[in-house]
Amino acid sequence: MPTSFTVVPVEGQEPQPSRPPEEPSQQLAECSSGESGDGIPKESSPFINSAEMDRRNIYEGKNMALFEEEMDSNPMVSSLLNKIANYTNLTQGVVEHEADEDSKRKEIKAPRMGTFIGVYLPCLQNILGVILFLRLTWIVGTSGVLESFIIVFMCCACTMLTAISMSAIATNGVVPAGGSYYMISRSLGPEFGGAVGLCFYLGTTFAGAMYILGTIEILLTYISPNAAIFKAEDADGETEAMLNNMRVYGTCIIALMAIVVFVGVKYVNKLALVFLSCVILSIFAIYAGVIKTAFDPPDFPICLLGNRTLSRHNFDICAKFIEVNNETVTTKLWSLFCDSPSLSATCDEYFNLNNVTEIQGIPGIASGVLIDNLWSAYTDKGSIVEKKGHPSVTGTEETKVGGLPYVFTDIMTYFTMLVGIYFPSVTGIMAGSNRSGDLRDAQKSIPTGTILAISTTSFIYLSCIVLFGACIEGVILRDKFGEAVNGNLVIGMLAWPSPWVIVIGSFFSTCGAGLQSLTGAPRLLQAIARDGIIPFLQVFGHGKANGEPTWALLLTACICEIGILIASLDSVAPILSMFFLMCYMFVNLACAVQTLLCTPNWRPRFKYYHWALSFLGMSLCFALMFICSWYYALIAMLIAGCIYKYIEYRGAEKEWGDGIRGLSLNAARYALLRVEHGPPHTKNWRPQVLVLLNLDSEQVVKHPRLLSFTSQLKAGKGLTIVGSVLQGIYLDKYIEAQKAEENIKSLMGVEKTKGFCQIVVSPSFRDGMSHLIQSAGLGGMTHNTVLMAWPQSWKQTDNPFSWKNFVDTVRETTAAQQALLVAKNIDLFPTNQERFSEGNVDVWWIVHDGGMLMLLPFLLRQHKVWKKCKMRIFTVAQMDDNSIQMKKDLQIFLYHLRLNAEVEVVEMFENDISAFTYEKTLMMEQRSQMLKQMQLSKNEREREIQSVTDESRGSVRRKSYSSPQSIGQDIQALLPNDNPEEEAQLIHDRNTASHSAAIVKCDIAAATPEKVQMTWTKEKFIAEKHKNRETNVTNFKDIFNMKPNQSNVRRMHTAVKLNGVILNKSQHAQLVLLNMPGPPKNKKGDENYMEFLEVLTEGLNRVLLVRGGGREVITIYS
C-alpha cells in the first residue's frame, strides 16, 4: 500500500557553533578500511556501523541534541537515505566495470541498462547455443517428437521454476558479484554456498569445454573437413581420429581464448552483441526455411539400400548401375559392395537382395512425415540408421557391415541419456542475476527479463521439435553428422536462404559462449575465494592490479582442458548437467526454506512465488540428476558433500543470516517443545552436564583438565554447559565477562568440548552458583548433572570458593534432583592426548543412588583415553550380610545391565574406635571452634573501629583545621604495640577506614576550618582492648578442654575405615569412583563434613565423588 511522508522543517533554531576539537564527545572513531584482517573485502553496507561513515555525517545542530550521544553508532535518517540512494554494487573484476579502489572514489555513472538489454538478451544468448544447432535434430529423430517434447518440457519446466525461485531471492535485496553463488550462500549459509558455488563454477567451466568442442565439431565436420590433422585409414578409425583432432584443436583454442580473456575482457563484452546477432539470425533462418518448405521443399535426396541409409561420402550416383551409350555400367556404389566393377562380381548379400532407392530428406511441412517421426527409435552403438516401414529383404546369413557405406550410430541411445545431453541447452538463466549491478532497476528487470527469456527459448525449443519432426525425414534426423547429405549440417539444410547462415552463425555462437564461460567462471571462483570460506582457495582471490582474476583464469583453463581431453560433446554434456542441476536445486531449496521460515528479512518484491513451486522445482532438479546419469549424480553429490564437510571443518566462520541457521533455530524450537512434555525415559538418560569452572584474576580457567574430563565423559553427545561466576556488578564487569567467555570458548575448542558457555556476574559467588544451577539451559534441554572440582584450599577462609560455598552447592544440586560429580586432584587427570595402556577404573558402590556409578565408567571407556582400562566394582558387606551371595547377585545384575566388570565384595567388621580416630575428631572440632572464635573476634574488632570513628565524629570541636589523614593517624596511635597481628588486621579493614574518613571529611568541609580533637583517650582504648582480649582467652581455654561429639566420632571412624579399605584395593587404580556422602541436615556441622570427605579420599590420586540425582539412570530392560 502507498505510504506518504511529510517533511516538516523545524524553525527558530540557530545553528550550533562548531565545538572545539579537543572535546572527547566530538572525537569520531576512524572508519575501517572495508577489509578484514586477511585482506578480503567485507560486504559493503550503507546501514548502521557502516565503514562508509565519515565526519561530514555528524549532525551538528541543536534539533537532535537528545540523540547526540548515539550519533557515533546510529546515523541520522537523512544520512542513511543518502547512502542508500548512492549505493552501487557493481561486478568485480574489470576497472571499466567497477569503481577505483582508492579512498577517494571517483563518481560513477549510474547504470542505465534496462530489462531488454541487461537481462533478456544475455539470457537468450546463454540459453540458445550449441545443443540447438548440433544435437536437437538428432534428439528429435532418436526419441521421437512425443518423447522429445517431454524431455524439453521437463527441462524448461525445471528452469522456469528455478527462475521463479531465483527472482524471489534476487529481489530480496541487492545481489553483488557472484550471482547464484551469492544468492545460495547468503540464503543457505557458507557451507552450502561454498559447496554449490564450486559446483556451479565447475559446471560453468565444463560448459566452456562443451562450447569449444562444439566449435571444433562445426569447424572440422561442416566448414573445413580437410583441416583435420589425424586421418582415419578405415571406417572403424574415424571416431578415434575425430577425438584426437578434438583434443589438439581444443587445446589450441582454449589457450587462445584464455589469452584473449587475460588481455582484456572488455573486448569479449563488446563482441557479445555480435555473437548474439548470429544466434538470432540463425533462429529466424530456421523459421523462414520451415515456412518455405510448405510450398517449395529443398532438394536434398537420400540414398537408401533397402531400408538402410547410405553415406554419400564415397559415391555420387544413387544406383547400382546406369545406362551409358546403351551399355550397362556399374556405379561407384557397386564397387563399394562388390569385389569388382563387373556385373558378375560377388556382392554383399543384402546388396543383391534389395534395391537402391532415393527419397527426399526434407519433404516439407505438408508432407505428413510428422506421423512417422512421432515415436522413438533407440538403437545400440554401431547400428545402421534404418527407415521404418520401408521395404527390405534380410539375407539368410548375417554379413559383416563394417567398412560398407552405411550411416552408423556412434553411441547407444536411450531416453535418460538424451535428457543429460539436452539439459545444457536450457542453462544460462543466471546471466541476468550476474549482471545485477549494471541494471537500472535490478529488482524489476531480473524477474521480468529472466522469465521472458525462458518463455521465449522454451517456445523456440518446443516449436522446433514439432517443426523438425514435421519437415525432415526420420533417417536424416537420426543422422547425427549429416553423412547421408554429403556431410552437411542437418538443421542448415532446412534454413533459408542458405545452410551457411546456420553453419557460420552456430560457429560464432559457440565461440562466443566459450569466451563468456572463460570470462564468468574465473570471476565466480574469485568471489568464492574472496569470501574466505575455503582457505586453500584464497590465492585465487587475487589478480592483476585492475582486479582481473589471473590465477583463477589459469585454474579455469586447466579444468577446461580436462573436458577437452574427454573430447566428446555427448560425454561432457551430462557432466555439466549435474553441476547445473545441483545449483538449481539449491536455489529452489533456498527459496522454499526462506518462505517456510517466514523470516522478517524475507520481503521479495517479486510476489509470484510459492514454497510449493520451489519444492516442486527442487524435486524436479533432483529427479533429473538421476535421470540423466545416476553415477554422475552420485559423483557430483559426493564432491559437493566433501566440499561441505571441508568448509564445516576448516572453513572460516561466517554469519550471513542464512536460512539454514533459521531452519536450525526452528527445528531446535520444535524439538525443545517436544522434549518439554516430560523427563526422558531411563533408556534415553545420559548426563547433561553443567561444568562449574573457576577463573583467576586474568579470567583464565584454573583447571583446564576439567574440560578434558568432560569431553572424555561426553564424547560430543548430549548437552554440555560450561559455566562460571564473576563476583561484582554486571555494569562494571561486563568486559571481564566477555573476556572470560572468549577464554572459555577458546579452551573448549582446544579440548574439543562441544557445548555452550554461560557466564554469570553476581555480587557473591554463592548466589552466582545458585543462579547457574537453577537457570542454566532452556526448556527440556537443561542439565541433570553438575561437574565441579574439589576445592583444594577449602581450609583457607579467604578463598572465594570456600567450604561453605561448596557444601551449599551440594545441597542445591540435591534439592534440584541433579546428580553431582566432584573431581578431586583434577590437575592429575589425563588430557585428551594421553592414553592409558593398562589399569583399572574402580567403582566403590556403597549405596545405590540410581546407578550413576555403573553408567559413568561405561561412558568413560568409550573414549580413547580410558578404552584399555578394566572396570572393577567393589561393594561393602556388613556383619549380617552374606558376602558370597552378594557377589553372585551383583554379577547377575551386571550381566543384565550388559556391563563387563570384575566384582569384589569387601567385608568391613565392626570394631572399637581407635585412639587415632578419637584424636582426629577432637582436632577437627577444636579447629572448627577456633575458626568460629577467630571470626567472632574479627567482627568485634571491626565494631570497635567503627565505635572509635563514631565517637570521634560526635565530639568534634571547632578549634583549628585538621586534615582527615590526622584522624587516621590518631586512630593508629591508639593501637597497642604488643600485638602486631591485630594491628595488621585493623589496617587491613580498609572499607571501614575509608568509610569513616569519607564521613569525617564531609563533616570538616561543612564546619569552619578548626582543629579536630578526639575525646577518646589512648588509656580508655587500651583498657577496652584488654577487656575483650581476656574474654577471648577464656573462650580459647574452653576449646582445649572440650570433648568430641560422639556422632562426629562415628562418622570419622567410618571415613578412616573406608579410606583404609579403598587404599588397600585401589591405591594404584587409574580412577576411583566413590559414593559421595550427603551433607549434614544441621548446617552447624558443614566444616566437619568437608573434613570427613578429605579423610575418606586421602591418599588417592584421582577420585570422582558421585552423588546421584534421585532417579534411576540405568536399566536392565531393552
Side-chain angles (χ1 to χ4, degrees), residues 202 212 477 496 523 601 630 637 783:
L202 292 174
I212 293 172
L477 290 174
W496 182 87
R523 279 157 183 74
N601 190 54
W630 64 268
M637 294 174 69
H783 61 279

Side-chain angles (χ1 to χ4, degrees), residues 176-460:
S180 58
Y181 158 71
Y182 184 92
M183 289 189 291
I184 295 171
S185 61
R186 268 53 175 184
S187 298
L188 295 179
E191 293 87 3
F192 277 108
V196 181
L198 278 182
C199 286
F200 188 58
Y201 162 74
L202 292 174
T204 308
T205 305
F206 276 103
M210 184 189 72
Y211 292 133
I212 293 172
L213 290 174
T215 303
I216 302 166
E217 184 176 316
I218 294 170
L219 175 67
L220 296 181
T221 306
Y222 307 114
I223 297 179
S224 179
N226 296 325
I229 298 174
F230 298 92
K231 306 286 185 180
E233 296 180 358
D234 53 12
D236 296 335
E238 287 184 0
T239 303
E240 188 63 31
M242 184 65 178
L243 294 179
N244 290 330
N245 287 320
M246 288 274 194
R247 294 183 180 106
V248 173
Y249 276 96
T251 304
C252 297
I253 290 179
I254 196 173
L256 182 63
M257 286 185 174
I259 292 172
V260 171
V261 174
F262 176 77
V263 169
V265 74
K266 61 181 180 180
Y267 303 112
V268 178
N269 293 334
K270 289 178 180 178
L271 288 173
L273 190 59
V274 177
F275 300 141
L276 178 60
S277 303
C278 294
V279 175
I280 295 174
L281 186 61
S282 301
I283 299 294
F284 281 119
I286 293 171
Y287 282 108
V290 169
I291 295 172
K292 182 177 177 295
T293 61
F295 52 87
D296 185 16
D299 184 22
F300 279 99
I302 305 168
C303 190
L304 299 177
L305 177 61
N307 65 350
R308 297 178 178 179
T309 310
L310 297 176
S311 173
R312 299 293 290 262
H313 282 303
N314 299 319
F315 68 94
D316 50 357
I317 300 174
C318 184
K320 293 183 179 181
F321 40 80
I322 56 174
E323 293 285 338
V324 177
N325 298 327
N326 295 325
E327 184 180 351
T328 303
V329 180
T330 58
T331 62
K332 196 171 183 180
L333 179 62
W334 178 281
S335 301
L336 294 174
F337 284 91
C338 302
D339 56 1
S340 69
S342 65
L343 292 174
S344 60
T346 303
C347 299
D348 180 73
E349 183 183 8
Y350 188 85
F351 183 77
N352 289 330
L353 295 175
N354 292 274
N355 295 324
V356 177
T357 56
E358 200 172 46
I359 61 173
Q360 283 297 324
I362 303 179
I365 195 170
S367 64
V369 75
L370 177 64
I371 304 299
D372 298 331
N373 292 331
L374 283 177
W375 313 110
S376 62
Y378 299 120
T379 57
D380 292 330
K381 181 179 179 180
S383 301
I384 301 173
V385 176
E386 299 177 345
K387 178 175 172 56
K388 293 178 291 185
H390 204 72
S392 173
V393 179
T394 307
T396 56
E397 296 181 3
E398 293 185 3
T399 58
K400 294 182 179 180
V401 296
L404 298 178
Y406 293 123
V407 177
F408 296 98
T409 56
D410 61 334
I411 56 174
M412 185 176 69
T413 54
Y414 44 91
F415 178 82
T416 57
M417 186 209 65
L418 296 180
V419 175
I421 292 176
Y422 173 75
F423 187 81
S425 65
V426 296
T427 60
I429 62 174
M430 302 288 186
S433 63
N434 291 342
R435 291 168 170 79
S436 60
D438 300 325
L439 301 174
R440 186 185 303 115
D441 186 358
Q443 298 193 359
K444 177 183 177 183
S445 298
I446 289 177
T448 308
T450 305
I451 293 175
L452 278 178
I454 294 175
S455 302
T456 304
T457 53
S458 300
F459 172 77
I460 291 172

